[in-house]
């Protein structure tokens, strides 16, 4: 781990706290005095830190991904399964030294990776904690687990620090992002951020534990724009970028009152998404919709 890069990045994120523009909300709030749109101040806030076995197989290994679930998010997804801590701000504030201790405990517990879930609001604290932990021998691959709604300038300061980008494509239409995540420019931002992630690390390769993995959650009624998403990956990034196709959508929170997303996806929607994946010669991992769907897509490896 390059300590000079860590220090430079920490200084950048420390300076951004007085006028925050880390995520694409660009709320420009002085987080030393007030809370940003994400609900966060200067210190990190977390809800849990666990050995997580539900992530993509190479991130988990035998010991699990060392997942830290941070509070707050710049997006306001109406169907967020984690709305308690992403939007209602449930969690516990933690100082940088204690966060570094959490990193070390996960490493000592056998974690294969450090899985930072929604890290964008907390990058100042994360970088400082990495500096502290590196002095005690911390060396896990760092996973940036993100909605992709993050500014390129933010990502640029993580070049050489983040090993694995685990990045969503939620929608491929800004209007869908506005309606279902309450952000005006999701797809516009996400295309730029994914290109920057790919520039930094290329496609994920397990042998080097580095690279970009793109997650795509299938939504009812083609709201996620799966065809356009897969075409973007294949044509704008690379067919070597693995895709994690997720069938776990379940209507919760405000989605229960929105008819078009108030149900799970059906078999036809699931198979259509798998067919699109195959059409663009993309591989990766998929979640079977139910027991009968196991093995339906021969090229893919089940999660």
């Amino acid at each position: 781990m390059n300590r000079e890069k860590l220090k430079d990045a920490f200084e950048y994120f420390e300076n951004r706290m007085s006028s925050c523009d880390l995520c694409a909300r660009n709320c420009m709030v002085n987080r030393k005095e007030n809370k940003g749109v994400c609900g966060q101040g200067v210190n990190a806030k977390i809800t849990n830190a666990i050995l997580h076995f539900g992530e993509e197989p190479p991130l988990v290994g035998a010991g699990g991904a060392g997942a830290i679930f941070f509070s707050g998010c710049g997006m306001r997804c109406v169907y967020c399964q984690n709305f308690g801590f992403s939007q209602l701000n449930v969690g516990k504030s933690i100082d940088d030294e204690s966060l570094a201790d959490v990193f070390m405990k996960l490493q000592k517990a056998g974690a294969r990776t450090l899985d930072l879930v929604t890290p964008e609001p907390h990058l100042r604290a994360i970088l400082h904690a990495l500096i502290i932990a590196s002095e005690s021998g911390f060396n896990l691959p760092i996973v940036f687990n993100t909605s992709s709604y993050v500014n390129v300038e933010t990502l640029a300061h993580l070049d050489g620090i983040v090993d694995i980008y685990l990045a969503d494509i939620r929608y491929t239409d800004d209007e869908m992002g506005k309606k279902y995540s309450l952000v005006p420019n999701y797809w516009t931002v996400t295309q730029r951020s994914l290109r920057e992630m790919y520039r930094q690390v290329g496609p994920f390769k397990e042998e080097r534990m580095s690279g970009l993995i793109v997650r795509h959650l299938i939504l009812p009624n083609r709201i996620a724009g799966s065809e356009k998403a897969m075409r973007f990956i294949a044509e704008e990034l690379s067919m070597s970028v693995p895709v994690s196709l997720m069938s776990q959508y379940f209507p919760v929170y405000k989605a229960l009152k929105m008819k078009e997303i108030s149900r799970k996806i059906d078999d036809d929607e699931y198979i259509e998404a798998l067919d699109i994946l195959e059409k663009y010669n993309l591989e990766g991992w998929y979640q079977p919709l139910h027991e009968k769907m196991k093995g339906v897509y021969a090229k893919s490896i089940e999660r």
Side-chain angles (χ1 to χ4, degrees):
M1 191 171 293
N2 188 312
R3 287 180 57 81
E4 288 305 314
K5 285 186 177 180
L6 288 175
K7 289 179 180 178
D8 288 346
F10 167 65
E11 289 177 7
Y12 175 80
F13 294 127
E14 172 81 4
N15 290 334
R16 299 319 305 154
M17 289 297 93
S18 59
S19 184
C20 189
D21 59 357
L22 299 185
C23 85
R25 280 278 185 180
N26 294 318
C27 68
M28 309 306 289
V29 169
N30 182 349
R31 288 173 51 189
K32 297 176 181 179
E33 298 178 359
N34 299 293
K35 305 295 185 184
V37 171
C38 60
Q40 306 311 302
V42 173
N43 284 347
K45 193 172 187 179
I46 68 174
T47 61
N48 210 350
I50 60 171
L51 293 176
H52 185 23
F53 290 87
E55 304 288 44
E56 287 68 16
L59 307 184
V60 171
I68 301 178
F69 295 89
F70 290 94
S71 303
C73 181
M75 297 179 70
R76 291 292 182 269
C77 301
V78 297
Y79 50 83
C80 182
Q81 295 178 356
N82 299 322
F83 66 88
F85 56 85
S86 68
Q87 298 182 41
L88 303 184
N89 208 21
V90 173
K92 179 181 178 181
S93 292
I94 183 171
D95 62 41
D96 300 351
E97 290 75 15
S98 298
L99 184 60
D101 189 51
V102 171
F103 294 173
M104 291 303 303
K105 286 180 178 178
L106 289 169
Q107 178 169 293
K108 290 175 182 177
R112 190 177 196 198
T113 54
L114 181 66
D115 183 15
L116 304 171
V117 184
T118 319
E120 295 90 342
H122 307 281
L123 287 171
R124 185 214 64 80
I126 289 169
L127 267 294
H128 194 200
L130 285 172
I131 292 170
I132 297 167
S134 68
E135 295 173 353
S136 299
F138 180 82
N139 60 4
L140 290 180
I142 296 168
V143 180
F144 193 84
N145 190 333
T146 177
S147 68
S148 304
Y149 194 64
V150 56
N151 283 327
V152 168
E153 292 80 5
T154 298
L155 295 170
H157 284 84
L158 298 172
D159 192 356
I161 296 171
V162 168
D163 299 287
I164 300 162
Y165 284 104
L166 184 57
D168 290 345
I169 293 181
R170 298 281 181 86
Y171 323 96
T172 56
D173 185 313
D174 282 345
E175 287 304 309
M176 295 297 103
K178 185 176 182 179
K179 183 173 183 179
Y180 299 109
S181 292
L182 310 187
V183 292
N185 52 353
Y186 177 79
W187 181 230
T188 299
V189 169
T190 292
Q191 290 175 86
R192 292 197 297 260
S193 66
L194 286 171
R195 288 188 182 103
E196 172 62 16
M197 295 177 208
Y198 182 79
R199 183 196 68 78
Q200 290 182 24
V201 296
F204 175 78
K205 299 293 183 184
E206 186 172 4
E207 59 268 23
R208 56 184 172 89
M209 285 302 289
S210 176
L212 170 64
I213 298 170
V214 176
R215 277 180 169 175
H216 183 66
L217 177 65
I218 309 166
L219 295 174
N221 294 302
R222 300 185 178 90
I223 286 167
S226 300
E227 173 92 28
K228 194 172 178 180
M230 298 307 114
R231 185 169 66 246
F232 173 81
I233 295 167
E235 296 180 358
E236 300 290 332
L237 302 177
S238 168
M239 287 188 292
S240 297
V241 172
V243 175
S244 184
L245 197 63
M246 306 173 76
S247 64
Q248 68 191 41
Y249 176 76
F250 186 84
V252 295
Y253 197 37
K254 297 177 181 179
L256 293 168
K257 297 181 179 180
M258 303 177 77
K259 183 178 179 180
E260 69 276 19
I261 56 170
S262 62
R263 62 168 176 84
K264 296 180 181 179
I265 64 169
D266 59 30
D267 287 9
D268 289 342
E269 289 166 331
Y270 177 72
I271 291 171
E272 179 183 59
L274 290 173
D275 287 344
I276 292 168
L277 200 66
E278 188 169 27
K279 173 183 175 180
Y280 289 100
N281 293 309
L282 295 166
E283 298 185 21
W285 306 273
Y286 74 102
Q287 296 172 318
L289 187 58
H290 46 69
E291 194 68 23
K292 292 181 181 179
M293 287 291 183
K294 286 190 173 182
V296 71
Y297 186 56
K299 281 179 147 184
S300 196
I301 305 167
E302 293 179 17
R303 291 179 62 186

